[in-house]
């Protein structure tokens, strides 16, 4: 489990095919992420996707990414800056919201521009996920816990609007977004459970 509060921006240094498979082994520069307490088998969120550490060397760590994970995410298949967060412990502050690190789908940025001292980010979400978004609800975008400020159901699909403060842009990769970019989305777990309960209650 994670909180969606990015601890550091790292960088995928290498993305090499796994021998005999279709996935990739990533070597990730940890940046300012403290690896002193990280062990083989620990979980680290990379761009919102929970990955298992399979190697450690100095200021970097290795993870294996399956073909399925590569097909369901963006930003994990080539050299690029990435948002990093170590798994939550019971002693940590829950500054964002409970995040599983399991990407639910890909969104498309439709608008990203300054508004006053902040930036407005609008994302068109997959139809299958539209029902999980609500005004003032939570969403994880590329591993960052954010608050949904508006939800618009349009003929072309549902669009969520998010306000990004300067600090968020400074300490995450979100400042590099532009219209047309794809992002990893994880819906709020509470919304997921409510949807399941209502589905069973209605018998549909």
């Amino acid at each position: 489990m994670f909180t969606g509060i990015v601890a550091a921006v790292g960088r995928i240094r290498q993305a090499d095919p796994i021998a005999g498979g279709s996935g990739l082994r990533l070597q990730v520069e940890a940046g300012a992420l403290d690896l002193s307490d990280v062990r083989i088998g620990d979980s680290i969120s990379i761009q919102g996707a929970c990955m298992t550490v399979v190697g450690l060397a100095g200021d970097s760590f290795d993870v294996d990414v399956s073909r399925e994970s590569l097909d369901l995410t963006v930003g994990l298949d080539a050299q690029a800056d990435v948002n990093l967060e170590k798994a939550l412990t019971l002693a940590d502050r829950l500054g964002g919201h409970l995040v599983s690190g399991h990407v639910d789908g890909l969104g498309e940025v439709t608008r990203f521009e300054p508004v006053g001292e902040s930036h407005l980010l609008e994302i068109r979400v997959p139809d299958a996920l539209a029902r999980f978004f609500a005004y003032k609800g939570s969403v994880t975008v590329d591993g960052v816990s954010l608050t949904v400020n508006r939800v618009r159901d349009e003929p072309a699909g549902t669009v969520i609007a998010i306000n990004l403060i300067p600090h968020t842009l400074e300490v995450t990769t979100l400042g590099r977004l532009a219209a047309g970019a794809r992002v990893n989305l994880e819906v709020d777990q509470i919304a997921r459970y409510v949807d399941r309960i209502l589905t069973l209650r209605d018998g549909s």
Side-chain angles (χ1 to χ4, degrees), residues 149-161:
N149 288 331
R150 289 190 302 278
V151 180
R152 299 196 311 272
D153 294 311
E154 302 176 343
T158 296
V159 175
I160 60 173

Side-chain angles (χ1 to χ4, degrees), residues 126-166:
D127 291 342
L129 300 182
R131 66 184 185 276
F132 294 110
F133 297 99
Y135 172 66
K136 296 303 180 185
S138 295
V139 61
T140 308
V141 179
D142 283 347
V144 184
S145 172
L146 299 168
T147 299
V148 177
N149 288 331
R150 289 190 302 278
V151 180
R152 299 196 311 272
D153 294 311
E154 302 176 343
T158 296
V159 175
I160 60 173
I162 299 163
N163 181 65
L164 297 178
I165 62 174

